[in-house]
Amino acid sequence: MTGRAASIALLICVASSPFFAGTAAHTNDRFTSDERSMIRAHGPWPLNPPPDPSNRFSGNQTAIAFGKDLFSDPRLSRDGNLSCVSCHVPELGFTDGLERSTGIGEVDRNAPAIANLANFRWFGWDGRSDTLWGQSIHPILNDLEMAATATDIAAQMTSQEDLAARYEQATQTKPADETPEAILVNTGKILAAYQETLRTPRTRFDDYRDALVTGDTAGQVAYPDAAKRGLKIFTGKGKCSICHFGPLFTNGEFHSIGIKHFAEAGRVDTGRYGGLKAFRASELNRLGPHSDEDQARAAKAPSTYAAFLHSNWGAYRVPSLRNVAATAPYMHDGSLATLEDVVDHYSDMNMDRLHSDGETLLRPLDLSKQERADLVAFLHTLTAAPVASAAED
């Protein structure tokens, strides 16, 4: 064999070897420049949000410790059998694994995951609160959830020695000297101070995203090929990143995605429309009398400009996809049991279920069987259990 022929044979051998093929497949060449920009925008992680200006206990370690214990304390419920952790189980990604959560009675919606909430501007499936502490109070008062009253909470905080002592330690005020309403609001703020610390840890996707940014070839090689293909669908053909945007994998807004919005036969769950109505009627918001935020600053918040629209009917908050594999079932009513079901929904979407004046971006993705599997593979790389508390780092 001549020297030239030997060189050609060597090149063919190397190029066809599993190592060479694998290395080439793991470069970022498979993504367009727009897709790479989208991938970069999904990080870095974790985020370090500032304290909530509307909650004077935000970042307060004494309040955080008290809030953590209150989160699992059944004395905040009417019957003494339920607590926040009844529907937000740490081992289930702070959800409950049910289609629709059950407290005193069954509610209309699936328990949303509560990690990374410090970065959100709306809370709950319908966004009825623009404060985490306001949202924390809703299930305490809801007749189908914990079904307590402000008077009930005040009675517990004043009559139970351990609660009274810790309340005074956290608030610098004796509960006996405060009104039931003030005690209820402070309880919500203390619960929120703890929930703000719940963060999902870094994932395989975060490592890959950072490897792309830094040009770390070894980091790129470590990410599964199926997940890469799914990520390309997510940022490209699927246009998933338009709504599931940024480090949180959500734009924080509300959309109708073709999921039925009847809570039961003959009764509609109005979604965002009802949430806005409740938000405007409530004082548990950034502009309300219980907020600790400077009102000039609060008046400039996006929530003050929220308007009723016909498309608000049947629209629900876009959930974060971080930790998504741990939080089944999915959608506001828990109607989709698996991530495979979710991908099938978007691939085979029934356009007749969308508002005619609503979602102009949504179209059936018509994904192949392989593409569906790849997209699910990518979604699994957004999960790394368990959820951690930043206060414990």
Side-chain angles (χ1 to χ4, degrees):
M1 181 181 294
T2 67
R4 184 169 181 269
S7 298
I8 292 174
L10 179 61
L11 285 172
I12 292 173
C13 180
V14 172
S16 61
S17 73
F19 175 79
F20 184 90
T23 301
H26 289 290
T27 68
N28 62 11
D29 290 340
R30 68 179 65 209
F31 298 106
T32 68
S33 59
D34 286 344
E35 290 165 355
R36 289 196 293 273
S37 293
M38 277 289 188
I39 295 170
R40 287 195 295 271
H42 285 301
W45 191 259
L47 299 175
N48 295 300
D52 176 4
S54 72
N55 180 0
R56 69 183 185 276
F57 304 123
S58 180
N60 181 299
Q61 294 302 312
T62 301
I64 290 169
F66 187 25
K68 181 178 181 180
D69 291 339
L70 283 180
F71 196 79
S72 58
D73 196 324
R75 289 176 290 183
L76 297 186
S77 66
R78 183 183 69 192
D79 64 3
N81 293 319
L82 297 166
S83 67
C84 303
V85 80
S86 299
C87 292
H88 299 286
V89 184
E91 293 77 17
L92 297 176
F94 283 90
T95 63
D96 58 13
L98 302 176
E99 290 184 16
R100 300 184 184 191
S101 294
T102 301
I104 297 294
E106 184 181 75
V107 302
D108 291 338
R109 297 173 184 165
N110 174 258
I114 59 169
N116 308 320
L117 293 182
N119 300 100
F120 282 46
R121 63 171 176 264
W122 292 109
F123 301 92
W125 279 111
D126 59 12
R128 64 181 49 226
S129 296
D130 68 346
T131 64
L132 180 53
W133 52 269
Q135 178 62 30
S136 298
I137 293 171
H138 288 306
I140 295 175
L141 302 181
N142 189 305
D143 288 340
L144 293 176
E145 297 185 65
M146 297 167 75
T149 66
T151 300
D152 293 333
I153 301 303
Q156 292 292 338
M157 290 296 176
T158 54
S159 66
Q160 303 291 316
E161 290 186 9
D162 62 323
L163 294 181
R166 296 193 69 182
Y167 182 94
E168 182 176 356
Q169 185 181 25
T171 66
Q172 300 299 302
T173 307
K174 293 182 179 180
D177 295 335
E178 295 195 309
T179 66
E181 182 180 41
I183 292 173
L184 176 66
V185 169
N186 283 338
T187 299
K189 290 181 177 180
I190 290 167
L191 285 167
Y194 162 63
Q195 291 173 80
E196 287 174 354
T197 69
L198 299 177
R199 314 278 173 78
T200 54
R202 284 179 58 84
T203 65
R204 286 175 292 170
F205 165 78
D206 295 310
D207 292 340
Y208 180 62
R209 178 262 175 199
D210 291 354
L212 282 179
V213 170
T214 62
D216 175 10
T217 302
Q220 295 173 45
V221 169
Y223 196 57
D225 277 349
K228 288 190 181 77
R229 295 192 299 266
L231 176 56
K232 185 172 180 66
I233 295 169
F234 190 88
T235 56
K237 174 182 178 179
K239 299 182 179 179
C240 310
S241 286
I242 293 176
C243 291
H244 293 286
F245 181 77
L248 287 171
F249 283 86
T250 175
N251 62 8
E253 293 302 325
F254 303 81
H255 298 276
S256 168
I257 57 169
I259 299 294
K260 62 182 177 64
H261 53 272
F262 283 91
E264 59 185 11
R267 185 167 64 84
V268 173
D269 180 342
T270 59
R272 179 59 169 155
Y273 190 90
L276 276 172
K277 188 175 182 180
F279 167 69
R280 290 188 172 185
S282 176
E283 292 186 339
L284 304 175
N285 56 56
R286 293 174 67 176
L287 283 173
H290 303 294
S291 174
D292 298 314
E293 186 172 11
D294 176 80
Q295 291 299 279
R297 170 178 170 169
K300 299 177 182 178
S303 55
T304 63
Y305 302 103
F308 286 105
L309 299 170
H310 175 67
S311 58
N312 292 148
W313 281 84
Y316 302 89
R317 184 167 58 80
V318 176
S320 170
L321 296 183
R322 286 195 172 272
N323 216 38
V324 67
T327 60
Y330 304 101
M331 305 304 171
H332 73 277
D333 59 354
S335 58
L336 300 181
T338 66
L339 287 176
E340 287 79 5
D341 292 334
V342 174
V343 170
D344 286 345
H345 168 76
Y346 284 106
S347 186
D348 307 325
M349 182 173 292
N350 183 351
M351 297 299 292
D352 291 338
R353 287 189 173 182
L354 298 180
H355 290 299
S356 60
D357 63 347
E359 305 302 332
T360 59
L361 292 173
L362 288 177
R363 293 289 184 273
L365 299 181
D366 295 322
L367 301 177
S368 68
K369 182 178 179 180
Q370 183 63 60
E371 288 174 324
R372 297 178 196 220
D374 290 340
L375 188 50
V376 170
F378 160 66
L379 292 172
H380 275 280
T381 69
L382 298 178
T383 299
V387 176
S389 170
E392 298 171 354
D393 289 348

mmCIF file of all heavy atoms in Angstrom, residues 325-359:
data_model
loop_
_atom_site.group_PDB
_atom_site.id
_atom_site.type_symbol
_atom_site.label_atom_id
_atom_site.label_comp_id
_atom_site.label_asym_id
_atom_site.label_seq_id
_atom_site.Cartn_x
_atom_site.Cartn_y
_atom_site.Cartn_z
ATOM 1 N N ALA A 325 -40.266 16.057 35.711
ATOM 2 C CA ALA A 325 -40.476 14.611 35.736
ATOM 3 C C ALA A 325 -40.924 14.111 37.100
ATOM 4 O O ALA A 325 -41.427 12.993 37.218
ATOM 5 C CB ALA A 325 -39.200 13.887 35.310
ATOM 6 N N ALA A 326 -40.784 14.962 38.139
ATOM 7 C CA ALA A 326 -41.147 14.555 39.498
ATOM 8 C C ALA A 326 -42.533 15.033 39.911
ATOM 9 O O ALA A 326 -42.953 14.776 41.036
ATOM 10 C CB ALA A 326 -40.108 15.081 40.492
ATOM 11 N N THR A 327 -43.246 15.715 39.013
ATOM 12 C CA THR A 327 -44.473 16.392 39.451
ATOM 13 C C THR A 327 -45.728 15.943 38.712
ATOM 14 O O THR A 327 -46.686 16.696 38.592
ATOM 15 C CB THR A 327 -44.316 17.914 39.308
ATOM 16 O OG1 THR A 327 -44.052 18.240 37.940
ATOM 17 C CG2 THR A 327 -43.181 18.432 40.180
ATOM 18 N N ALA A 328 -45.751 14.713 38.214
ATOM 19 C CA ALA A 328 -46.957 14.187 37.562
ATOM 20 C C ALA A 328 -48.089 14.058 38.582
ATOM 21 O O ALA A 328 -47.837 13.894 39.784
ATOM 22 C CB ALA A 328 -46.657 12.814 36.962
ATOM 23 N N PRO A 329 -49.361 14.132 38.137
ATOM 24 C CA PRO A 329 -49.832 14.341 36.769
ATOM 25 C C PRO A 329 -49.778 15.823 36.378
ATOM 26 O O PRO A 329 -49.481 16.665 37.221
ATOM 27 C CB PRO A 329 -51.267 13.833 36.803
ATOM 28 C CG PRO A 329 -51.709 14.098 38.207
ATOM 29 C CD PRO A 329 -50.479 13.875 39.060
ATOM 30 N N TYR A 330 -50.127 16.109 35.117
ATOM 31 C CA TYR A 330 -49.865 17.426 34.560
ATOM 32 C C TYR A 330 -51.131 18.159 34.134
ATOM 33 O O TYR A 330 -52.191 17.582 33.997
ATOM 34 C CB TYR A 330 -48.911 17.286 33.367
ATOM 35 C CG TYR A 330 -47.637 16.584 33.760
ATOM 36 C CD1 TYR A 330 -47.437 15.233 33.470
ATOM 37 C CD2 TYR A 330 -46.643 17.251 34.476
ATOM 38 C CE1 TYR A 330 -46.274 14.575 33.858
ATOM 39 C CE2 TYR A 330 -45.482 16.600 34.870
ATOM 40 C CZ TYR A 330 -45.313 15.270 34.560
ATOM 41 O OH TYR A 330 -44.160 14.621 34.968
ATOM 42 N N MET A 331 -50.970 19.458 33.918
ATOM 43 C CA MET A 331 -52.005 20.434 33.564
ATOM 44 C C MET A 331 -52.785 20.835 34.819
ATOM 45 O O MET A 331 -52.689 20.217 35.862
ATOM 46 C CB MET A 331 -52.941 19.928 32.467
ATOM 47 C CG MET A 331 -52.197 19.486 31.219
ATOM 48 S SD MET A 331 -51.150 20.814 30.557
ATOM 49 C CE MET A 331 -50.221 19.977 29.298
ATOM 50 N N HIS A 332 -53.560 21.914 34.697
ATOM 51 C CA HIS A 332 -54.223 22.489 35.865
ATOM 52 C C HIS A 332 -55.190 21.521 36.529
ATOM 53 O O HIS A 332 -55.450 21.621 37.726
ATOM 54 C CB HIS A 332 -54.969 23.769 35.468
ATOM 55 C CG HIS A 332 -56.207 23.508 34.674
ATOM 56 N ND1 HIS A 332 -56.175 23.298 33.310
ATOM 57 C CD2 HIS A 332 -57.511 23.402 35.044
ATOM 58 C CE1 HIS A 332 -57.408 23.081 32.867
ATOM 59 N NE2 HIS A 332 -58.227 23.134 33.890
ATOM 60 N N ASP A 333 -55.693 20.561 35.743
ATOM 61 C CA ASP A 333 -56.652 19.603 36.291
ATOM 62 C C ASP A 333 -56.071 18.206 36.426
ATOM 63 O O ASP A 333 -56.800 17.247 36.711
ATOM 64 C CB ASP A 333 -57.907 19.547 35.414
ATOM 65 C CG ASP A 333 -57.608 19.150 33.971
ATOM 66 O OD1 ASP A 333 -56.410 19.024 33.625
ATOM 67 O OD2 ASP A 333 -58.561 18.971 33.203
ATOM 68 N N GLY A 334 -54.763 18.074 36.222
ATOM 69 C CA GLY A 334 -54.130 16.771 36.347
ATOM 70 C C GLY A 334 -54.609 15.759 35.326
ATOM 71 O O GLY A 334 -54.498 14.546 35.554
ATOM 72 N N SER A 335 -55.095 16.231 34.194
ATOM 73 C CA SER A 335 -55.731 15.336 33.221
ATOM 74 C C SER A 335 -54.748 14.555 32.365
ATOM 75 O O SER A 335 -55.150 13.612 31.681
ATOM 76 C CB SER A 335 -56.669 16.140 32.313
ATOM 77 O OG SER A 335 -55.967 17.174 31.641
ATOM 78 N N LEU A 336 -53.464 14.919 32.373
ATOM 79 C CA LEU A 336 -52.458 14.201 31.602
ATOM 80 C C LEU A 336 -51.509 13.515 32.582
ATOM 81 O O LEU A 336 -50.825 14.170 33.360
ATOM 82 C CB LEU A 336 -51.703 15.149 30.677
ATOM 83 C CG LEU A 336 -52.578 15.888 29.651
ATOM 84 C CD1 LEU A 336 -51.723 16.788 28.762
ATOM 85 C CD2 LEU A 336 -53.389 14.905 28.802
ATOM 86 N N ALA A 337 -51.489 12.194 32.517
ATOM 87 C CA ALA A 337 -50.816 11.421 33.558
ATOM 88 C C ALA A 337 -49.301 11.413 33.450
ATOM 89 O O ALA A 337 -48.606 11.345 34.466
ATOM 90 C CB ALA A 337 -51.339 9.977 33.541
ATOM 91 N N THR A 338 -48.778 11.466 32.237
ATOM 92 C CA THR A 338 -47.333 11.305 32.039
ATOM 93 C C THR A 338 -46.782 12.376 31.105
ATOM 94 O O THR A 338 -47.537 13.044 30.389
ATOM 95 C CB THR A 338 -47.019 9.934 31.427
ATOM 96 O OG1 THR A 338 -47.556 9.880 30.091
ATOM 97 C CG2 THR A 338 -47.624 8.804 32.261
ATOM 98 N N LEU A 339 -45.468 12.488 31.073
ATOM 99 C CA LEU A 339 -44.837 13.406 30.131
ATOM 100 C C LEU A 339 -45.101 12.969 28.693
ATOM 101 O O LEU A 339 -45.217 13.807 27.796
ATOM 102 C CB LEU A 339 -43.329 13.477 30.389
ATOM 103 C CG LEU A 339 -42.898 14.247 31.644
ATOM 104 C CD1 LEU A 339 -41.393 14.164 31.831
ATOM 105 C CD2 LEU A 339 -43.350 15.701 31.569
ATOM 106 N N GLU A 340 -45.211 11.674 28.478
ATOM 107 C CA GLU A 340 -45.559 11.184 27.149
ATOM 108 C C GLU A 340 -46.930 11.701 26.734
ATOM 109 O O GLU A 340 -47.135 12.101 25.577
ATOM 110 C CB GLU A 340 -45.544 9.655 27.126
ATOM 111 C CG GLU A 340 -44.159 9.028 27.158
ATOM 112 C CD GLU A 340 -43.533 8.995 28.545
ATOM 113 O OE1 GLU A 340 -44.206 9.385 29.532
ATOM 114 O OE2 GLU A 340 -42.362 8.586 28.663
ATOM 115 N N ASP A 341 -47.866 11.731 27.682
ATOM 116 C CA ASP A 341 -49.202 12.258 27.391
ATOM 117 C C ASP A 341 -49.146 13.746 27.053
ATOM 118 O O ASP A 341 -49.877 14.224 26.177
ATOM 119 C CB ASP A 341 -50.135 12.037 28.591
ATOM 120 C CG ASP A 341 -50.445 10.578 28.840
ATOM 121 O OD1 ASP A 341 -50.376 9.783 27.876
ATOM 122 O OD2 ASP A 341 -50.737 10.229 29.997
ATOM 123 N N VAL A 342 -48.301 14.479 27.758
ATOM 124 C CA VAL A 342 -48.168 15.916 27.502
ATOM 125 C C VAL A 342 -47.635 16.160 26.094
ATOM 126 O O VAL A 342 -48.155 17.000 25.346
ATOM 127 C CB VAL A 342 -47.245 16.565 28.553
ATOM 128 C CG1 VAL A 342 -46.990 18.029 28.199
ATOM 129 C CG2 VAL A 342 -47.850 16.459 29.949
ATOM 130 N N VAL A 343 -46.594 15.425 25.729
ATOM 131 C CA VAL A 343 -46.014 15.584 24.391
ATOM 132 C C VAL A 343 -47.032 15.178 23.324
ATOM 133 O O VAL A 343 -47.167 15.852 22.295
ATOM 134 C CB VAL A 343 -44.714 14.762 24.271
ATOM 135 C CG1 VAL A 343 -44.232 14.729 22.825
ATOM 136 C CG2 VAL A 343 -43.639 15.350 25.170
ATOM 137 N N ASP A 344 -47.777 14.112 23.579
ATOM 138 C CA ASP A 344 -48.821 13.707 22.634
ATOM 139 C C ASP A 344 -49.872 14.799 22.464
ATOM 140 O O ASP A 344 -50.361 15.044 21.360
ATOM 141 C CB ASP A 344 -49.502 12.424 23.108
ATOM 142 C CG ASP A 344 -48.632 11.185 22.931
ATOM 143 O OD1 ASP A 344 -47.626 11.267 22.194
ATOM 144 O OD2 ASP A 344 -48.950 10.154 23.547
ATOM 145 N N HIS A 345 -50.208 15.471 23.580
ATOM 146 C CA HIS A 345 -51.207 16.541 23.518
ATOM 147 C C HIS A 345 -50.762 17.646 22.560
ATOM 148 O O HIS A 345 -51.551 18.107 21.721
ATOM 149 C CB HIS A 345 -51.439 17.119 24.909
ATOM 150 C CG HIS A 345 -52.225 18.395 24.905
ATOM 151 N ND1 HIS A 345 -53.585 18.428 24.704
ATOM 152 C CD2 HIS A 345 -51.833 19.695 25.059
ATOM 153 C CE1 HIS A 345 -54.003 19.682 24.729
ATOM 154 N NE2 HIS A 345 -52.962 20.466 24.944
ATOM 155 N N TYR A 346 -49.527 18.067 22.688
ATOM 156 C CA TYR A 346 -49.037 19.144 21.814
ATOM 157 C C TYR A 346 -48.818 18.660 20.382
ATOM 158 O O TYR A 346 -48.971 19.436 19.435
ATOM 159 C CB TYR A 346 -47.744 19.728 22.384
ATOM 160 C CG TYR A 346 -47.980 20.626 23.574
ATOM 161 C CD1 TYR A 346 -47.670 20.209 24.860
ATOM 162 C CD2 TYR A 346 -48.535 21.898 23.402
ATOM 163 C CE1 TYR A 346 -47.900 21.031 25.950
ATOM 164 C CE2 TYR A 346 -48.762 22.718 24.498
ATOM 165 C CZ TYR A 346 -48.447 22.278 25.763
ATOM 166 O OH TYR A 346 -48.683 23.093 26.842
ATOM 167 N N SER A 347 -48.476 17.408 20.229
ATOM 168 C CA SER A 347 -48.254 16.893 18.894
ATOM 169 C C SER A 347 -49.558 16.725 18.118
ATOM 170 O O SER A 347 -49.615 16.967 16.916
ATOM 171 C CB SER A 347 -47.530 15.546 18.967
ATOM 172 O OG SER A 347 -47.188 15.088 17.673
ATOM 173 N N ASP A 348 -50.624 16.333 18.839
ATOM 174 C CA ASP A 348 -51.913 16.043 18.195
ATOM 175 C C ASP A 348 -52.981 17.062 18.580
ATOM 176 O O ASP A 348 -54.169 16.749 18.596
ATOM 177 C CB ASP A 348 -52.381 14.638 18.603
ATOM 178 C CG ASP A 348 -51.330 13.575 18.359
ATOM 179 O OD1 ASP A 348 -50.598 13.701 17.368
ATOM 180 O OD2 ASP A 348 -51.237 12.630 19.165
ATOM 181 N N MET A 349 -52.594 18.270 18.884
ATOM 182 C CA MET A 349 -53.507 19.267 19.458
ATOM 183 C C MET A 349 -54.773 19.480 18.637
ATOM 184 O O MET A 349 -54.744 19.576 17.417
ATOM 185 C CB MET A 349 -52.761 20.599 19.607
ATOM 186 C CG MET A 349 -53.589 21.705 20.225
ATOM 187 S SD MET A 349 -52.572 23.151 20.535
ATOM 188 C CE MET A 349 -51.505 22.543 21.825
ATOM 189 N N ASN A 350 -55.898 19.560 19.362
ATOM 190 C CA ASN A 350 -57.190 19.863 18.751
ATOM 191 C C ASN A 350 -57.369 21.377 18.736
ATOM 192 O O ASN A 350 -57.644 21.997 19.753
ATOM 193 C CB ASN A 350 -58.310 19.199 19.551
ATOM 194 C CG ASN A 350 -59.678 19.419 18.941
ATOM 195 O OD1 ASN A 350 -59.842 20.210 18.001
ATOM 196 N ND2 ASN A 350 -60.672 18.726 19.473
ATOM 197 N N MET A 351 -57.216 21.992 17.585
ATOM 198 C CA MET A 351 -57.272 23.446 17.471
ATOM 199 C C MET A 351 -58.659 24.001 17.794
ATOM 200 O O MET A 351 -58.804 25.180 18.136
ATOM 201 C CB MET A 351 -56.866 23.875 16.058
ATOM 202 C CG MET A 351 -55.435 23.519 15.692
ATOM 203 S SD MET A 351 -54.215 24.305 16.776
ATOM 204 C CE MET A 351 -54.408 26.025 16.301
ATOM 205 N N ASP A 352 -59.687 23.184 17.706
ATOM 206 C CA ASP A 352 -61.043 23.651 17.992
ATOM 207 C C ASP A 352 -61.228 24.001 19.462
ATOM 208 O O ASP A 352 -62.180 24.695 19.824
ATOM 209 C CB ASP A 352 -62.070 22.583 17.600
ATOM 210 C CG ASP A 352 -62.152 22.397 16.099
ATOM 211 O OD1 ASP A 352 -61.764 23.333 15.369
ATOM 212 O OD2 ASP A 352 -62.584 21.313 15.653
ATOM 213 N N ARG A 353 -60.312 23.514 20.312
ATOM 214 C CA ARG A 353 -60.431 23.791 21.750
ATOM 215 C C ARG A 353 -59.758 25.098 22.166
ATOM 216 O O ARG A 353 -59.840 25.496 23.326
ATOM 217 C CB ARG A 353 -59.821 22.641 22.557
ATOM 218 C CG ARG A 353 -60.678 21.381 22.542
ATOM 219 C CD ARG A 353 -60.145 20.377 23.532
ATOM 220 N NE ARG A 353 -61.036 19.233 23.665
ATOM 221 C CZ ARG A 353 -60.836 18.223 24.501
ATOM 222 N NH1 ARG A 353 -59.762 18.222 25.281
ATOM 223 N NH2 ARG A 353 -61.684 17.225 24.573
ATOM 224 N N LEU A 354 -59.078 25.752 21.244
ATOM 225 C CA LEU A 354 -58.393 27.002 21.566
ATOM 226 C C LEU A 354 -59.311 28.181 21.323
ATOM 227 O O LEU A 354 -60.173 28.158 20.441
ATOM 228 C CB LEU A 354 -57.137 27.160 20.717
ATOM 229 C CG LEU A 354 -56.053 26.100 20.900
ATOM 230 C CD1 LEU A 354 -54.888 26.400 19.983
ATOM 231 C CD2 LEU A 354 -55.596 26.024 22.344
ATOM 232 N N HIS A 355 -59.115 29.259 22.076
ATOM 233 C CA HIS A 355 -59.860 30.492 21.840
ATOM 234 C C HIS A 355 -59.560 31.023 20.446
ATOM 235 O O HIS A 355 -58.403 31.055 20.020
ATOM 236 C CB HIS A 355 -59.470 31.567 22.865
ATOM 237 C CG HIS A 355 -59.939 31.268 24.251
ATOM 238 N ND1 HIS A 355 -61.262 31.137 24.574
ATOM 239 C CD2 HIS A 355 -59.252 31.078 25.403
ATOM 240 C CE1 HIS A 355 -61.371 30.886 25.867
ATOM 241 N NE2 HIS A 355 -60.159 30.840 26.397
ATOM 242 N N SER A 356 -60.574 31.473 19.757
ATOM 243 C CA SER A 356 -60.365 32.007 18.408
ATOM 244 C C SER A 356 -59.529 33.280 18.425
ATOM 245 O O SER A 356 -58.869 33.617 17.449
ATOM 246 C CB SER A 356 -61.712 32.284 17.728
ATOM 247 O OG SER A 356 -62.468 33.233 18.476
ATOM 248 N N ASP A 357 -59.543 34.000 19.552
ATOM 249 C CA ASP A 357 -58.757 35.231 19.649
ATOM 250 C C ASP A 357 -57.569 35.057 20.585
ATOM 251 O O ASP A 357 -57.014 36.024 21.074
ATOM 252 C CB ASP A 357 -59.629 36.390 20.139
ATOM 253 C CG ASP A 357 -60.170 36.146 21.544
ATOM 254 O OD1 ASP A 357 -60.084 34.991 22.023
ATOM 255 O OD2 ASP A 357 -60.679 37.098 22.166
ATOM 256 N N GLY A 358 -57.210 33.814 20.829
ATOM 257 C CA GLY A 358 -56.185 33.560 21.830
ATOM 258 C C GLY A 358 -54.846 33.154 21.272
ATOM 259 O O GLY A 358 -54.112 33.972 20.714
ATOM 260 N N GLU A 359 -54.518 31.859 21.342
ATOM 261 C CA GLU A 359 -53.173 31.384 21.079
ATOM 262 C C GLU A 359 -52.906 31.237 19.585
ATOM 263 O O GLU A 359 -53.300 30.249 18.967
ATOM 264 C CB GLU A 359 -52.961 30.052 21.796
ATOM 265 C CG GLU A 359 -53.254 30.101 23.289
ATOM 266 C CD GLU A 359 -52.429 31.131 24.024
ATOM 267 O OE1 GLU A 359 -51.308 31.422 23.563
ATOM 268 O OE2 GLU A 359 -52.897 31.650 25.029
#
